[in-house]
Amino acid sequence: MDFLSGEIFYIDKPLGWTSFDAVKRLRSAMLRRLKPYGVKRLKVGHAGTLDPLASGVMIVVTGRSTKLIEELQAGVKEYIATIALGATTPSYDLETTIDATYPTDHITLPLVVETLKRFQGAIEQIPPAFSAIKVDGRRAYNMARKGHTPQLKPKTLVIDEIELLSFSPTELRIRVVCSKGTYIRALARDIGEALGSGGHLTALQRTRVGTVDLAHCLSIDAAVEAIEQAPLTFLDDTLN
């Protein structure tokens, strides 16, 4: 491996880890390998953030390959999402507690099927207040956690596919194929609103980024083991 010239790792990010946690763990393992060569810094990044409450495909890039981040994260994403109906939370997921409840007796399978069709294709989506988007130079989530309501503008995005995997009046499980920049938490909010029941995300797994799916991915431990054991190679000018 040549971490300085650039490597690409496909990781199955664990539930509860931030994307930064995963990058930090891999970077630390690489720097331990490079320490005998006098390397103290290494550029490592990722193509597409996953929230701590989400798991699944994450692409980690190193060295000169970090130039590919924009290209890599531009690919379509696929997710498996579980949406609880009948209640909302300020963050649209389990990061915050339920702030309102609604009836679900009116929710039927035909209603759900017809409602989901409205979310396929080009749609407008307002990002979550609990997101990393900057508003007047401040992160929206910092404002939201202090009780302020950041004014976020709707974004146009594309939902290529939305498939109902399981149904009950209080919970949906869906598969979503979508463009870069889609917030599945916000999609859960909007589906709940459209059903007249409210909704929030209770589980999320990213199963594909571009052509990379879970079958291509290593666990964090397996990636660290590969980093620790793989032969190192360097271009002639790498350490100059």
Side-chain angles (χ1 to χ4, degrees):
M1 289 188 179
D2 189 340
F3 307 125
L4 294 162
S5 294
E7 296 288 346
I8 300 176
F9 293 86
Y10 304 141
I11 303 300
D12 183 358
K13 187 192 80 67
L15 190 66
W17 286 50
T18 66
S19 297
F20 178 76
D21 290 336
V23 167
K24 183 179 178 181
R25 178 76 184 279
L26 267 61
R27 182 194 289 116
S28 296
M30 294 176 212
L31 286 174
R32 286 195 299 270
R33 288 297 311 274
L34 294 172
K35 186 176 180 179
Y37 301 91
V39 178
K40 297 181 180 179
R41 286 187 172 186
L42 177 64
K43 188 180 291 186
V44 183
H46 63 83
T49 300
L50 271 180
D51 291 336
L53 296 177
S55 64
V57 178
M58 189 174 122
I59 302 176
V60 177
V61 292
T62 81
R64 296 171 189 168
S65 289
T66 55
K67 297 177 181 178
L68 301 175
I69 285 177
E70 285 297 321
E71 177 184 340
L72 291 169
Q73 67 184 12
V76 297
K77 316 292 192 301
E78 180 183 70
Y79 297 91
I80 303 297
T82 303
I83 303 170
L85 302 177
T88 58
T89 72
S91 60
Y92 315 144
D93 63 8
L94 296 177
E95 181 183 342
T96 53
T97 57
I98 290 172
D99 60 359
T101 58
Y102 304 86
T104 59
D105 294 345
H106 64 286
I107 297 178
T108 63
L109 180 58
L111 175 63
V112 169
V113 170
E114 287 304 309
T115 300
L116 291 182
K117 289 178 182 178
R118 293 160 50 185
F119 291 92
Q120 189 158 331
I123 65 170
E124 293 285 305
Q125 183 184 81
I126 299 174
F130 286 77
S131 66
I133 292 174
K134 286 189 175 182
V135 179
D136 297 327
R138 301 168 62 191
R139 296 289 185 186
Y141 60 72
N142 286 330
M143 299 171 67
R145 286 167 184 160
K146 292 178 180 178
H148 304 297
T149 303
Q151 298 301 310
L152 298 170
K153 297 179 180 179
K155 296 167 52 179
T156 301
L157 50 88
V158 177
I159 305 292
D160 295 299
E161 299 178 46
I162 185 164
E163 176 187 4
L164 181 64
L165 300 179
S166 65
F167 160 80
S168 78
T170 57
E171 183 180 274
L172 307 179
R173 188 165 175 265
I174 60 175
R175 182 181 70 89
V176 180
V177 179
C178 56
S179 62
K180 170 188 173 183
T182 303
Y183 285 92
I184 305 300
R185 287 180 288 144
L187 183 63
R189 168 203 64 198
D190 294 342
I191 290 172
E193 287 182 359
L195 289 170
S197 65
H200 63 281
L201 193 67
T202 57
L204 182 65
Q205 182 183 45
R206 187 158 67 193
T207 51
R208 181 164 61 91
V209 176
T211 59
V212 179
D213 62 24
L214 284 169
H216 296 99
C217 292
L218 297 172
S219 68
I220 294 288
D221 288 343
V224 169
E225 183 177 353
I227 290 166
E228 292 173 341
Q229 296 182 2
L232 295 182
T233 59
F234 299 95
L235 293 176
D236 292 339
D237 63 347
T238 296
L239 299 176
N240 295 331

